[in-house]
Amino acid sequence: MNKEVLKKIIYDQHQVIRDAVIIDRDIELEKNANYVLVGLRRAGKTTLLYKRVKDLINEGVEWNQIVYINFDDERLVDFKLTDFDDILLAAEEMTSKKHYFYFDEIQNIDDWEKFAIRIANQGYKVDITGSNAKMLSKEVAAKLGGRYISKEILPYSFREYLRAHNVNSNVLSTKEIAKANNLLEQYFIYGGFPASVDFKNKREYVSSVYQKVLYNDIITHNKVRSENGMKLLIKKISESVLQDISYTRLQNTISSIGYKISKDVIIDYCGYIKDSFLLFTIENYYASFVDKNSNPKYYFRDNGVLNLFVDGKKSALLENIVAINLYRDNYEMYYLKGKKVDVDFYLPNNNILIQVAYSLNEQDTYDREIDNLINFAKSDNNNLKLIIVTYDEKKTIHIDDKTINVISLKDFLLNNY
């Protein structure tokens, strides 16, 4: 690899970082640790690296010590494992002082972890990002040993989304409450991709991100043969967000439309979608080990992407955004589906049951959500916290010796409950 081209790429990136506007995230990174930051494209991984760089510059580190390479750069299309040494040589020509290395979207290079291990063993400070879940696999983690800390980065939380719009979620004036409510509606429909804040046509931006993930991280990366079959699979999964769905059912649904795809291919395709960080799954707490893996509930990591398919279906968007928030907070969570019980989220380590309903104004909905919570609470010896998340309703319901807290989405997302 031509060292002058590498230095040009590095210097170009320095200017990009200088110009970058950084919004503080509620993400703590150890100053002296090496990180592998993974997650959905455009979730904010790169900006976190920019902040790491700017913090060093503010502490007196010189720009020539910063070696930042983005492997999505078209000038690196032919880059291969053996070319990493040329980065080290280019860095030495830039300065003899200590170097700090940042490698963005490194999963584009086969066997990247071999270089990552070597450079860490040599004592360099290194941060890495990637958009493929295999970078968090046990195999890669074992190879990286204790040299790197792996961390998934999600799009903005609602608190971060408010901050990006200059709204302090801790102290909301009357005027800011109105603004926060308007921003909640945006966040609910269009999700939390950081760059979407600056777009008037947010749906168009989200669609562009999805297309990038679909074609680069799923279809091209995995050499998917049936492009239309993959698109249809994602659409059918989006339509099932409110319920569990098996591989067999997905296969039958897609086959009925005319795409003859085997169950094994469906399983592989679902794995590819999860590896791209587009989706995550939760399992039925009651199910056997085999059923836990084959009958999951699927959720999208960003509401904006889900909305591309469900187009404002409020019940699906509400349950999905609740799932994202629980996932972000690293809860161990399941759904409950069994005799007389159908509960959206069960957090066994926290003794919390959560139902999701856009509104409880309809009597049938009210009775169904209450009955499911009470039926399980009566069968459980623990002192369970019972919650129903609605879009904007608040109340407390007392039934026998049980208390159910009905809370608004805004309060749930801001942990005000």
Side-chain angles (χ1 to χ4, degrees):
M1 185 75 197
N2 187 302
K3 287 184 292 181
E4 294 306 313
V5 172
L6 287 172
K7 285 192 282 187
K8 179 68 165 57
I9 290 171
I10 293 168
Y11 289 134
D12 288 349
Q13 193 65 51
H14 287 172
Q15 188 58 50
V16 171
I17 299 171
R18 285 189 181 96
D19 295 340
V21 176
I22 308 296
I23 302 296
D24 283 340
R25 302 287 306 265
D26 296 329
I27 298 169
E28 293 186 6
L29 301 178
E30 296 286 341
K31 178 181 176 181
N32 297 317
N34 295 334
Y35 278 94
V36 178
L37 303 180
V38 296
L40 185 61
R41 280 185 183 268
R42 306 304 180 192
K45 304 182 297 295
T46 296
T47 305
L48 283 171
L49 292 195
Y50 289 177
K51 185 178 187 305
R52 301 271 274 180
V53 171
K54 287 194 170 188
D55 287 345
L56 286 176
I57 298 300
N58 290 336
E59 293 169 6
V61 172
E62 298 174 3
W63 279 104
N64 278 348
Q65 296 175 255
I66 303 298
V67 180
Y68 194 114
I69 303 286
N70 185 340
F71 289 99
D72 267 347
D73 193 309
E74 79 284 353
R75 290 171 288 185
L76 299 174
V77 67
D78 295 320
F79 194 96
K80 54 188 180 298
L81 180 64
T82 53
D83 293 324
F84 275 112
D85 278 334
D86 292 327
I87 293 178
L88 298 180
L89 292 172
E92 289 299 326
E93 291 182 5
M94 289 167 61
T95 181
S96 60
K97 293 183 179 181
K98 178 180 179 179
H99 298 100
Y100 299 83
F101 291 92
Y102 300 87
F103 300 122
D104 213 345
E105 300 296 351
I106 199 172
Q107 83 282 346
N108 292 342
I109 312 303
D110 291 337
D111 297 322
W112 62 269
E113 64 271 17
K114 294 178 180 178
F115 175 73
I117 291 169
R118 173 159 64 92
I119 196 172
N121 285 341
Q122 292 173 354
Y124 287 108
K125 175 69 184 67
V126 192
D127 286 330
I128 291 168
T129 79
S131 300
N132 191 294
K134 290 179 180 177
M135 295 181 71
L136 279 181
S137 68
K138 291 181 180 178
E139 180 183 353
V140 171
K143 289 179 180 178
L144 297 179
R147 304 171 184 87
Y148 293 85
I149 298 173
S150 294
K151 191 175 186 68
E152 182 182 349
I153 306 302
L154 291 164
Y156 280 156
S157 68
F158 183 53
R159 194 180 297 277
E160 291 169 332
Y161 193 75
L162 290 177
R163 188 180 302 141
H165 287 87
N166 299 311
V167 175
N168 183 351
S169 60
N170 295 319
V171 184
L172 290 174
S173 64
T174 302
K175 183 178 180 180
E176 285 184 320
I177 288 174
K179 186 176 181 181
N181 290 338
N182 289 333
L183 290 172
L184 175 63
E185 185 175 358
Q186 284 186 21
Y187 184 71
F188 182 69
I189 297 293
Y190 301 114
F193 285 114
S196 71
V197 170
D198 299 320
F199 279 77
K200 289 183 178 180
N201 191 334
K202 298 182 187 302
R203 183 185 178 93
E204 185 175 72
Y205 173 76
V206 174
S207 179
S208 72
V209 175
Y210 168 68
Q211 295 299 323
K212 181 80 170 178
V213 173
L214 175 65
Y215 287 105
N216 285 51
D217 301 334
I218 299 177
I219 292 174
T220 302
H221 180 78
N222 297 290
K223 299 179 174 62
V224 170
R225 293 184 178 181
S226 177
E227 178 180 317
N228 289 333
M230 175 61 79
K231 290 179 180 178
L232 185 58
L233 176 62
I234 296 173
K235 184 176 187 300
K236 292 304 174 184
I237 289 175
S238 72
E239 294 170 356
S240 73
V241 160
L242 295 172
Q243 60 195 32
D244 58 302
I245 189 166
S246 67
Y247 296 128
T248 300
R249 187 171 155 205
L250 283 169
Q251 180 201 8
N252 291 339
T253 300
I254 292 174
S255 296
S256 68
I257 303 174
Y259 291 92
K260 302 301 180 183
I261 298 178
S262 71
K263 181 178 176 181
D264 286 342
V265 171
I266 291 292
I267 293 171
D268 287 342
Y269 281 13
C270 287
Y272 300 156
I273 298 167
K274 290 174 66 177
D275 284 346
S276 74
F277 290 98
L278 193 66
L279 304 172
F280 65 95
T281 59
I282 68 171
E283 301 160 348
N284 186 2
Y285 188 77
Y286 285 138
S288 66
F289 178 77
V290 173
D291 286 339
K292 281 183 189 295
N293 292 319
S294 59
N295 285 73
K297 290 181 74 173
Y298 290 89
Y299 296 101
F300 285 70
R301 277 181 170 84
D302 186 80
N303 254 35
V305 178
L306 174 59
N307 188 60
L308 295 175
F309 302 97
V310 300
D311 197 21
K313 186 179 177 182
K314 294 176 180 179
S315 56
L317 291 171
L318 183 60
E319 185 168 321
N320 195 79
I321 205 169
V322 169
I324 293 170
N325 204 61
L326 295 172
Y327 181 84
R328 183 192 308 280
D329 289 340
N330 293 312
Y331 285 108
E332 180 184 1
M333 63 173 166
Y334 302 87
Y335 69 93
L336 293 173
K337 191 170 185 178
K339 188 177 181 180
K340 294 185 178 181
V341 175
D342 190 350
V343 177
D344 296 322
F345 302 105
Y346 175 42
L347 317 180
N349 293 341
N350 305 85
N351 292 328
I352 297 175
L353 282 184
I354 300 175
Q355 286 288 70
V356 181
Y358 192 82
S359 172
L360 294 177
N361 287 335
E362 295 291 332
Q363 190 64 43
D364 287 347
T365 302
Y366 180 93
D367 292 341
R368 181 179 64 250
E369 306 300 353
I370 297 297
D371 288 349
N372 276 302
L373 289 177
I374 296 299
N375 287 340
F376 183 78
K378 286 180 177 178
S379 68
D380 192 279
N381 294 324
N382 294 313
N383 185 22
L384 289 167
K385 185 174 184 178
L386 309 179
I387 297 171
I388 300 177
V389 181
T390 67
Y391 189 79
D392 59 6
E393 296 167 17
K394 301 180 186 181
K395 67 176 74 174
T396 302
I397 301 170
H398 298 284
I399 297 180
D400 298 330
D401 60 339
K402 308 297 182 185
T403 299
I404 300 174
N405 293 313
V406 179
I407 62 174
S408 69
L409 176 61
K410 185 173 72 175
D411 285 343
F412 178 78
L413 294 178
L414 297 179
N415 296 318
N416 295 332
Y417 63 93

